[in-house]
Amino acid sequence: MGEINLVIDGIEVKGQEGMTILQAAEHAGIEIPTLCHSPDLTPTGVCRVCVVEVEGAKTLVGACHTPVSEGMVIHTRSHRVLETRKAVVELLLTAHTGSCVTDIHARECALHKLASDLEVGPPRFHVRKPRTYPPEEDNPYILRDLSKCILCRRCVGACNEIAKKNVFSVGYRGFRSKIIVGFDGPLDKEVCKDCGICIDYCPTGALSKAPGN
């Protein structure tokens, strides 16, 4: 693999062909926030939290899936980038209903931590019909609360790529989109056993261990 020279936030960085912007930044000790990304999974770029500004590009690009190229000049904390990230997180919080305010596990929610780091306040956007779902307790190993799901698809990737079970997928369209099991059936013990891999990759409280596990 050939060496690539680029500049990130004014720092000269040496990357390798095939690296993403996120990987090159991490190699240089520069932090770019992510939600849907995991180094163990194929990048999807769905959350758009990791957007950065590349000089010469018309739009912001997702750092987790955009490959580096020779001479690339990247800004990870420009005004445009930070305002876009804040707006993305605010939109995610708008659709992120549930009991997070009173949930003792909210401090472990990556979305809440990111909102705090970016100083994002209560969402300004109004949703006529909030996307709420009752907590599911059909499985003795996993509790699922889709009201806290941000559609990052990490559970889908973990189940498909690591566990090789292909239990989860994305169903419906637009605001009705959600993570489904089969043809939108229950997550019971007949389709999902006790591997728990999806729980480890969920950045919010949408998936958690059932009591006694």
Side-chain angles (χ1 to χ4, degrees):
M1 297 176 65
E3 190 173 77
I4 290 176
N5 298 292
L6 60 152
V7 176
I8 305 178
D9 293 344
I11 301 172
E12 294 185 1
V13 176
K14 293 188 180 296
Q16 299 291 329
E17 289 183 0
M19 264 189 174
T20 63
I21 293 175
L22 179 62
Q23 290 172 328
E26 290 176 340
H27 183 69
I30 299 171
E31 183 179 358
I32 298 176
T34 64
L35 275 178
C36 70
H37 177 74
S38 169
D40 304 327
L41 306 173
T42 301
T44 59
V46 296
C47 76
R48 310 311 292 170
V49 166
C50 71
V51 291
V52 296
E53 188 172 0
V54 177
E55 291 189 7
K58 294 182 179 179
T59 61
L60 300 181
V61 301
C64 71
H65 62 86
T66 303
V68 296
S69 59
E70 180 64 33
M72 187 178 270
V73 179
I74 303 161
H75 304 282
T76 73
R77 296 187 61 81
S78 67
H79 176 76
R80 182 185 178 194
V81 166
L82 292 179
E83 288 303 305
T84 300
R85 280 189 195 144
K86 288 181 179 180
V88 168
V89 171
E90 190 174 352
L91 285 168
L92 288 172
L93 285 171
T94 300
H96 187 62
T97 55
S99 57
C100 288
V101 176
T102 57
D103 189 348
I104 61 172
H105 299 296
R107 67 176 69 91
E108 302 171 7
C109 175
L111 177 60
H112 278 250
K113 182 180 184 303
L114 183 56
S116 176
D117 292 344
L118 292 173
E119 298 182 348
V120 176
R124 297 165 293 171
F125 310 111
H126 176 68
V127 179
R128 291 183 179 179
K129 294 182 179 180
R131 192 181 63 196
T132 57
Y133 303 94
E136 301 174 24
E137 301 179 352
D138 303 284
N139 195 299
Y141 313 109
I142 300 174
L143 294 180
R144 190 165 75 138
D145 186 349
L146 289 179
S147 295
K148 299 177 183 178
C149 176
I150 58 173
L151 294 171
C152 69
R153 295 163 171 76
R154 282 173 57 159
C155 62
V156 179
C159 188
N160 294 356
E161 298 178 23
I162 300 176
K164 307 294 184 183
K165 300 299 184 182
N166 302 306
V167 171
F168 298 114
S169 60
V170 182
Y172 307 102
R173 294 181 179 181
F175 197 71
R176 295 182 64 242
S177 297
K178 68 174 184 175
I179 304 299
I180 62 173
V181 177
F183 294 101
D184 199 6
L187 182 68
D188 56 34
K189 63 180 181 180
E190 300 303 320
V191 296
C192 181
K193 304 302 181 183
D194 60 346
C195 77
I197 288 176
C198 57
I199 297 174
D200 296 334
Y201 284 85
C202 180
T204 68
L207 295 171
S208 61
K209 292 182 179 180
N213 288 277

